Amino acid sequence: IYIAIGFVLLIIGYKVDYRWFKRFSYPILFATIGILLLVLVAGTEVNGSRRWLRFGFFNIQPAEIAKICIAFVLAYSMAKKHDKIKSFSIGVLPHLLLIGVIVGLLMLQPDFGSSVLITTLMGAMLFFAGTRLVYIIGGIVMAVVDHYYGKREKRLLSDAEAARLADQPVGGPNGPEAP
């Protein structure tokens, strides 16, 4: 049934004129931010992460919707600013702020994988839009430094997310530890 639903959505996406997406990119963005907020209060919690919204017989993961939405919004915004994309304050900073809001909401779930993917998507889109390479390299350097010090100084991931990434049960390889 999911393949059929996906195929119907594929056909609809193919038939819809791309200019429609341009016209509704910001309302879709605000709706996406809304469902990312909704999942924090009404989402289903699994292994310490609240990522799914349950609607009767099916579930949706708002982070997946956010990935598609961000691609549309960034493409529209960068195309609109194509002549000023090399300017940090016009071509880069607004996109960083937008991604900061989305990634902040994703990390509250927490969803580290989607956060990294969306940030990487923004970097790639900025690169292909023609922004200055120094901005992208600077962002990569800051991310590496933050990752290095973040591992030493603060907990970025929840215990459940860290355990999943380490491929072991929560609490360590022998299961949950007693308090």
Side-chain angles (χ1 to χ4, degrees):
I1 189 163
Y2 295 113
I3 293 173
I5 292 171
F7 188 71
V8 167
L9 291 174
L10 173 76
I11 298 299
I12 291 171
Y14 176 73
K15 295 288 184 179
V16 172
D17 185 13
Y18 74 93
R19 289 178 281 266
W20 181 88
F21 293 112
K22 287 180 7 179
R23 202 173 20 183
F24 291 103
S25 63
Y26 289 119
I28 291 170
L29 171 67
F30 293 125
T32 300
I33 291 171
I35 63 169
L36 286 172
L37 288 168
L38 181 63
V39 78
L40 295 174
V41 293
T44 304
E45 186 169 331
V46 177
N47 292 331
S49 295
R50 190 177 297 267
R51 297 183 190 160
W52 295 88
L53 288 174
R54 185 176 302 259
F55 293 105
F57 68 93
F58 70 96
N59 299 323
I60 63 166
Q61 189 174 13
E64 300 304 320
I65 296 168
K67 291 172 192 175
I68 296 167
C69 172
I70 287 300
F72 284 128
V73 170
L74 288 177
Y76 173 67
S77 177
M78 289 178 194
K80 200 167 76 170
K81 299 173 182 179
H82 75 278
D83 55 334
K84 296 182 181 176
I85 199 73
K86 291 188 183 292
S87 164
F88 182 79
S89 62
I90 296 172
V92 178
L93 186 60
H95 302 113
L96 284 174
L97 295 174
L98 170 64
I99 295 302
V101 169
I102 299 295
V103 166
L105 290 171
L106 289 172
M107 289 306 293
L108 289 174
Q109 296 178 10
D111 191 346
F112 185 69
S114 293
S115 299
V116 169
L117 190 132
I118 286 175
T119 305
T120 304
L121 173 69
M122 180 201 61
M125 290 181 76
L126 282 170
F127 174 77
F128 288 115
T131 194
R132 294 179 192 260
L133 199 55
V134 69
Y135 300 146
I136 295 170
I137 292 171
I140 292 169
V141 168
M142 286 190 295
V144 168
V145 168
D146 181 62
H147 176 72
Y148 174 75
Y149 285 108
K151 287 175 85 173
R152 292 180 52 208
E153 302 294 332
K154 63 183 179 225
R155 275 309 283 244
L156 182 61
L157 304 175
S158 70
D159 290 335
E161 183 119 22
R164 185 180 64 77
L165 290 173
D167 197 28
Q168 57 184 320
V170 176
N174 298 326
E177 297 174 12

